[in-house]
Amino acid sequence: MRKNDVYEYILSLKGTLDHDFGCDVSEVQQRIDDAYSLFFGKAICVVTDWVWIDIELTKEEMRRFPNDLKPMLLFADTILRDSPNRGIDWVITSMLSEYRHPGLFVTRNTCYVIVGLGLRCKLSFSDFALLVNTRQKNRRK
């Protein structure tokens, strides 16, 4: 699945879709500095053209969900800067462990600085699983 295909797929799914805002472009360096001081040792990745995805879980799914994570992840179509230099140009993150306003989306291993206007949507767990499964199949090709 090419990056634009992922973005289009997310937008095509049934769910609430709203606009949201990360940090302003003029604040990016300050937010990077904040990320390094607040989350020392984590990789830093600056992204734009993003979609914040809230995963809707049933009570049973929520019971099995790790306590240290929140059922939210981020898809970003454009990476502006990536401290581990993974050689990627888009990303679907792992689940959220912490959010610091404005624009620091933190997972277990990485702090994502989300920049500018983005989207926020809700997906059922089954739609999310389909997205991940499709992504993994296409990665193997």
Side-chain angles (χ1 to χ4, degrees), residues 23-56:
C23 72
D24 189 74
V25 173
S26 65
E27 301 171 328
V28 170
Q29 189 56 55
Q30 179 59 54
R31 297 312 288 163
I32 291 170
D33 295 344
D34 293 345
Y36 277 120
S37 66
L38 292 168
F39 306 106
F40 181 77
K42 288 189 186 278
I44 307 294
C45 187
V46 181
V47 300
T48 189
D49 303 324
W50 52 272
V51 180
W52 178 308
I53 303 168
D54 295 301
I55 308 297
E56 296 178 320

Side-chain angles (χ1 to χ4, degrees), residues 2-141:
R2 293 174 297 122
K3 65 178 184 173
N4 292 332
D5 291 343
V6 173
Y7 190 78
E8 293 301 320
Y9 175 76
I10 291 169
L11 296 182
S12 75
L13 295 172
K14 294 175 185 160
T16 305
L17 189 64
D18 292 310
H19 285 59
D20 205 344
F21 200 83
C23 72
D24 189 74
V25 173
S26 65
E27 301 171 328
V28 170
Q29 189 56 55
Q30 179 59 54
R31 297 312 288 163
I32 291 170
D33 295 344
D34 293 345
Y36 277 120
S37 66
L38 292 168
F39 306 106
F40 181 77
K42 288 189 186 278
I44 307 294
C45 187
V46 181
V47 300
T48 189
D49 303 324
W50 52 272
V51 180
W52 178 308
I53 303 168
D54 295 301
I55 308 297
E56 296 178 320
L57 300 175
T58 64
K59 287 181 182 179
E60 179 62 29
E61 291 164 341
M62 194 62 173
R63 242 178 8 106
R64 290 186 269 151
F65 198 80
N67 289 335
D68 64 326
L69 298 175
K70 295 164 185 65
M72 302 167 186
L73 55 103
L74 193 70
F75 166 77
D77 201 31
T78 306
I79 295 177
L80 302 175
R81 182 172 164 187
D82 188 33
S83 70
N85 296 316
R86 295 173 280 196
I88 58 175
D89 59 356
W90 64 275
V91 67
I92 296 177
T93 71
S94 55
M95 295 294 175
L96 177 73
S97 62
E98 182 177 349
Y99 181 74
R100 294 279 181 112
H101 183 75
L104 295 183
F105 187 101
V106 185
T107 65
R108 286 181 174 158
N109 299 315
T110 305
C111 180
Y112 295 88
V113 178
I114 57 177
V115 181
L117 186 64
L119 297 172
R120 189 153 183 177
C121 70
K122 292 181 182 179
L123 294 181
S124 67
F125 184 77
S126 60
D127 283 339
F128 165 71
L130 182 60
L131 173 66
V132 169
N133 189 32
T134 302
R135 178 178 156 242
Q136 289 173 343
K137 283 181 185 176
N138 286 308
R139 216 181 229 178
R140 291 184 209 132
K141 290 182 181 179

